């Protein structure tokens, strides 16, 4: 089990094992964070591809697409 540090104002800090519920919540947050990172990277890749396709076709870019272009 993972350890957890409990810090409350004006009290001593305590380190203890996480309960099963706390461990499950912790694991879920880590998994969600990893999934969000993957989704953000894919969205960035898609935005760049869209900007490139529009440039090639001579179409106007959205502001976000234009912001992906580095000169």
């Amino acid at each position: 089990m993972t350890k957890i540090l409990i810090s409350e104002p004006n009290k001593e800090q305590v380190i203890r094992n996480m309960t099963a519920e706390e461990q499950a919540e912790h694991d879920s947050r880590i998994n969600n964070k990893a999934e969000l990172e993957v989704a953000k990277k894919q969205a960035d890749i898609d935005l760049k591809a869209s900007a490139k396709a529009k440039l090639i076709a001579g179409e106007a870019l959205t502001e976000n697409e234009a912001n992906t272009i580095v000169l």
Side-chain angles (χ1 to χ4, degrees), residues 13-27:
Q13 293 182 340
V14 177
I15 297 176
R16 64 169 174 77
N17 287 329
M18 287 186 178
T19 64
E21 267 184 8
E22 290 169 333
Q23 184 71 51
E25 183 179 328
H26 173 73
D27 294 344

Side-chain angles (χ1 to χ4, degrees), residues 36-69:
L36 284 174
E37 288 298 319
V38 169
K40 285 180 184 178
K41 286 180 184 178
Q42 187 59 50
D44 197 39
I45 290 168
D46 294 344
L47 186 62
K48 288 179 183 179
S50 173
K52 182 177 179 179
K54 284 184 177 180
L55 281 173
I56 291 170
E59 297 176 13
L61 302 176
T62 65
E63 184 177 349
N64 285 340
E65 290 169 335
N67 288 336
T68 64
I69 300 171

